[in-house]
Amino acid sequence: MQAVKDTVNQVSESIQGAASGASKQTNEEIAKGHTNAGATTRATAAKDAVSDKIDEKKHETKSDVYANK
């Protein structure tokens, strides 16, 4: 039963990590000025990209932990 829970948690963390990665990439593009966004929006996107990167790594680490149990 624990193996099933670990597998479900591993998949969930992988999905969350992928979502954070996609959000990070979008925010990076905005921050780099590849849109018509203003300076404030670009600065906010840069901050959000850093936060998304942290979340992405956190979820990847948790996924690896569950996969290796």
Side-chain angles (χ1 to χ4, degrees):
M1 184 58 120
Q2 186 62 39
V4 172
K5 288 180 184 178
D6 289 341
T7 300
V8 169
N9 286 333
Q10 189 263 331
V11 170
S12 175
E13 292 295 341
S14 292
I15 291 169
Q16 290 177 42
S20 292
S23 178
K24 176 189 65 126
Q25 289 178 330
T26 299
N27 282 321
E28 284 177 345
E29 291 301 310
I30 293 168
K32 289 177 183 176
H34 295 174
T35 65
N36 292 329
T40 303
T41 302
R42 290 177 61 195
T44 300
K47 175 191 68 76
D48 290 345
V50 171
S51 177
D52 289 337
K53 180 67 174 178
I54 292 167
D55 287 345
E56 180 183 28
K57 288 297 179 185
K58 179 180 70 173
H59 291 300
E60 286 176 358
T61 300
K62 285 182 178 181
S63 176
D64 289 344
V65 168
Y66 286 120
N68 293 318
K69 276 191 169 183

